[in-house]
Amino acid sequence: MDSLIEVLIYESLYKISINTVKKIAMSFIKWNGFKKTLNTDKYIKNPTTPTYLYVISQDTMTYCERTMVATLQGLVNTQSYFQIYTLSSLQPDYQIWLDDLKDRYGISYENISDPWELLDIFKNNVDGYVLYNNKLLKDPSINNACSLASLNNCIAVDEDIEDKVRSHGITKIKGDCRSTDERWAYNNLWNSGLNHSIIIQLSPDKVAALRDYAIMTKSLIFYEDKVSDTSLRDKIFSSMEKDSICLGWGPDEFINISTVSKYGINMTGADWSYNLSVLSSFPSLPMKQKTLVNIPHKENIHTVTFIMSDGDNQQWGLGNNYGSSKWYGSPNRGKFNLGWSLSPSLYYLAPTVFKLYYESAATGASNDYFIVPPSGNGYMYPSKFDENTLGIYINRLNDYMKKVDEKYVAIIDDSSFHNKEIWAKFTRKPNIHGLFYLDYHRHHNYHGEIIWSNNKPIVSCRDLLWDRLETEDELVENINNRIDSGQVDIYNSNSYTFVYVHAWSKSLSNIEKVVNKLKENSKVSIVTPETFMELIKKNVNC
């Protein structure tokens, strides 16, 4: 049999059951050697693109059922053209991606209300189950059970629903992780078939997020909940391949990112991400930005660029940003020039999503422009990153930037703005045209200072539109004061202001308020990050 189309024709002609169709389709996939997941640029993608989706809302399920379905999803989505997709009222943009799959990629779907119906549909794909107990949503046994289940073609089952699972025909118990501690999976499974290039750092209270992807990729799931105790993280990160990826989040930010950096690992905030086993199955193709650089020819001007924060946060890009009236879905988008960033993980693990962002970007009199979020391929601190791995990391970043037509990278680091030796490793790459620097402890600690590396600008943040740090009125006053003091010479670095906008406390309506007030001053020019950097390179002496 040469294609799934023939299978569907057989169904129509001979009225064979849908379960039989799925069995034949599964044989077709295995026969062609597609069952093995594909590894692309460190990210593991599902090689089996769905033709049909069973869609279920997490809102209708208990916590135990959500974990069961997520692990079932991770198992079947590489084995079948008939796959599982989940929705949640807390992550409304997943409906947008689903509609896009239907409208532009021809993926049909039906809504399922009962998770046990899903288990019945796919029970022949499951070899058994692994037990855990997570009643208080903080027991590490859920992570251990998912890690073990990924190696045994199993689902993870809370003891509260074990009897019901068995009544639906899944009767073979392949492990019991109840009463295991947070180190159990690493100590017992790390060298038993788990991949060493991607790991999942996930709190036990995240009962469904990322778990489909972890099962699909046979990734270790773990969580070390004490901020200052990094002994487990040290063991895991030091055992990984160079330039590897950690998806999820830790118990804090600074210590966690410092720890991954120490071992040459980068972090992607993804602990509320869903459906990566579906979305990653689509090809990651080169893309071009719609925006065309427009260099204004004005000399007595103060130039401002705004960049929205948190593009490194994969789950925000997937779940809440695109359709939100506060952010990318705002009716104010396109009224002024604005910089955005998208996690590179979206390009590989959700390329249809990445493409939709690019295609819907505002262009014309005002433009959206995309840069790479902090600090490149994933969140890390370059000054703390394993120096033997940094070159590999930057090479991969350089290649990525060519694929997605992005020229500039935002960097978050720890008091390292003047460390030109580090920045030279970035700026010597042909696709990296400059850096936007943000200091971890206070993003605008370097007050807009500009330094140079290989004739490329490293521009520090000058202002923060951020609740309780700098209000709209204060930002407008600060910029107008600079103009009043004569900072309107395009050849002077003081005539440029990079404003970072805190996504969680400010929206596009807040930016518009600032923009409208600044427009009252004829000596202000608001441009995209690309135009901002091109003006600096053209006019400011190195």
Side-chain angles (χ1 to χ4, degrees), residues 54-62 65 68-69 85 110-119 121 164:
Y54 294 102
V55 179
I56 188 166
S57 172
Q58 294 186 49
D59 299 348
T60 66
M61 294 187 279
T62 66
E65 290 170 339
M68 179 187 75
V69 167
Y85 189 95
E110 67 175 283
N111 292 300
I112 299 288
S113 60
D114 184 0
W116 300 98
E117 182 181 352
L118 275 181
L119 187 62
I121 292 171
K164 192 167 184 178

Side-chain angles (χ1 to χ4, degrees), residues 94 108 150 179 266-267 274 285 294 304 350 400 413-414 425 466 490 506 509:
Y94 283 100
S108 300
S150 72
S179 301
N266 67 82
M267 182 88 203
Y274 301 93
L285 302 174
N294 179 24
V304 179
Y400 165 79
D413 210 332
D414 180 20
K425 296 176 181 180
W466 192 311
I490 63 169
K506 297 296 178 181
S509 62

Side-chain angles (χ1 to χ4, degrees), residues 293-307:
V293 64
N294 179 24
I295 308 297
H297 298 284
K298 297 180 181 179
E299 292 201 357
N300 297 318
I301 207 79
H302 190 96
T303 304
V304 179
T305 195
F306 293 88
I307 298 176

Side-chain angles (χ1 to χ4, degrees), residues 192-238:
S192 298
L194 293 173
N195 90 74
H196 288 187
S197 62
I198 295 178
I199 56 169
I200 310 296
Q201 189 174 196
L202 193 62
S203 174
D205 63 355
K206 310 297 191 301
V207 296
L210 267 184
R211 295 186 186 275
D212 67 310
Y213 187 71
I215 294 289
M216 185 192 88
T217 57
K218 301 187 187 307
S219 295
L220 173 74
I221 308 181
F222 81 100
Y223 195 73
E224 188 172 45
D225 61 3
K226 295 181 177 64
V227 171
S228 58
D229 180 6
T230 64
S231 57
L232 178 57
R233 282 171 281 182
D234 288 330
K235 284 185 177 181
I236 295 171
F237 298 149
S238 64

Side-chain angles (χ1 to χ4, degrees), residues 126-412:
V126 180
D127 290 344
Y129 64 94
V130 178
L131 273 176
Y132 69 90
N133 176 358
N134 192 32
K135 286 183 176 64
L136 299 178
L137 300 181
K138 62 180 182 179
D139 195 295
S141 66
I142 185 175
N143 288 342
N144 297 331
C146 289
S147 300
L148 180 57
S150 72
L151 298 174
N152 290 282
N153 205 54
C154 292
I155 56 175
V157 172
D158 191 287
E159 65 179 11
D160 284 353
I161 59 171
E162 181 186 12
D163 289 344
K164 192 167 184 178
V165 168
R166 295 181 68 86
S167 73
H168 281 261
I170 311 296
T171 59
K172 195 171 185 179
I173 183 167
K174 301 293 285 287
D176 187 344
C177 291
R178 293 174 296 180
S179 301
T180 56
D181 64 17
E182 63 187 14
R183 299 171 181 267
W184 184 89
Y186 176 74
N187 290 338
N188 291 276
L189 306 176
W190 181 245
N191 293 313
S192 298
L194 293 173
N195 90 74
H196 288 187
S197 62
I198 295 178
I199 56 169
I200 310 296
Q201 189 174 196
L202 193 62
S203 174
D205 63 355
K206 310 297 191 301
V207 296
L210 267 184
R211 295 186 186 275
D212 67 310
Y213 187 71
I215 294 289
M216 185 192 88
T217 57
K218 301 187 187 307
S219 295
L220 173 74
I221 308 181
F222 81 100
Y223 195 73
E224 188 172 45
D225 61 3
K226 295 181 177 64
V227 171
S228 58
D229 180 6
T230 64
S231 57
L232 178 57
R233 282 171 281 182
D234 288 330
K235 284 185 177 181
I236 295 171
F237 298 149
S238 64
S239 301
M240 296 182 71
E241 297 172 2
K242 287 184 178 296
D243 190 29
S244 288
I245 297 163
C246 181
L247 297 176
W249 199 243
D252 74 311
E253 182 172 344
F254 185 73
I255 292 177
N256 196 57
I257 302 304
S258 296
T259 305
V260 295
S261 299
K262 175 182 176 182
Y263 295 104
I265 312 298
N266 67 82
M267 182 88 203
T268 295
D271 55 331
W272 289 107
S273 295
Y274 301 93
N275 297 308
L276 296 183
S277 61
V278 174
L279 297 172
S280 68
S281 69
F282 294 84
S284 301
L285 302 174
M287 298 185 192
K288 286 285 186 183
Q289 296 209 48
K290 292 170 63 175
T291 304
L292 297 176
V293 64
N294 179 24
I295 308 297
H297 298 284
K298 297 180 181 179
E299 292 201 357
N300 297 318
I301 207 79
H302 190 96
T303 304
V304 179
T305 195
F306 293 88
I307 298 176
M308 181 66 74
S309 78
D310 283 80
D312 60 302
N313 189 328
Q314 182 198 89
Q315 59 214 3
W316 183 57
L318 283 173
N320 297 97
N321 177 32
Y322 187 90
S324 172
S325 60
K326 293 174 62 178
W327 302 306
Y328 201 81
S330 169
N332 295 314
R333 188 170 64 83
K335 294 181 179 179
F336 44 85
N337 291 312
L338 182 59
W340 300 86
S341 57
L342 292 172
S343 171
S345 66
L346 288 180
Y347 176 74
Y348 296 103
L349 300 183
T352 60
V353 173
F354 196 100
K355 183 178 181 180
L356 206 53
Y357 273 103
Y358 263 39
E359 290 183 345
S360 59
T363 185
S366 297
N367 297 272
D368 293 318
Y369 185 79
F370 294 100
I371 67 170
V372 183
S375 291
N377 306 318
Y379 189 8
M380 45 76 92
Y381 302 136
S383 66
K384 300 178 185 294
F385 204 77
D386 175 48
E387 52 186 43
N388 294 321
T389 308
L390 186 58
I392 301 171
Y393 177 93
I394 295 173
N395 284 338
R396 186 157 64 91
L397 172 61
N398 180 64
D399 291 342
Y400 165 79
M401 293 175 71
K402 182 177 182 180
K403 291 174 184 175
V404 299
D405 187 30
E406 294 180 10
K407 298 178 181 178
Y408 302 99
V409 185
I411 298 287
I412 294 179

Side-chain angles (χ1 to χ4, degrees), residues 254 381 383-384 412-419 422-423 437-442 445-446:
F254 185 73
Y381 302 136
S383 66
K384 300 178 185 294
I412 294 179
D413 210 332
D414 180 20
S415 305
S416 298
F417 178 64
H418 292 109
N419 191 338
I422 291 179
W423 312 135
Y437 181 88
L438 303 150
D439 200 55
Y440 172 78
H441 298 286
R442 186 64 66 88
N445 269 349
Y446 291 89

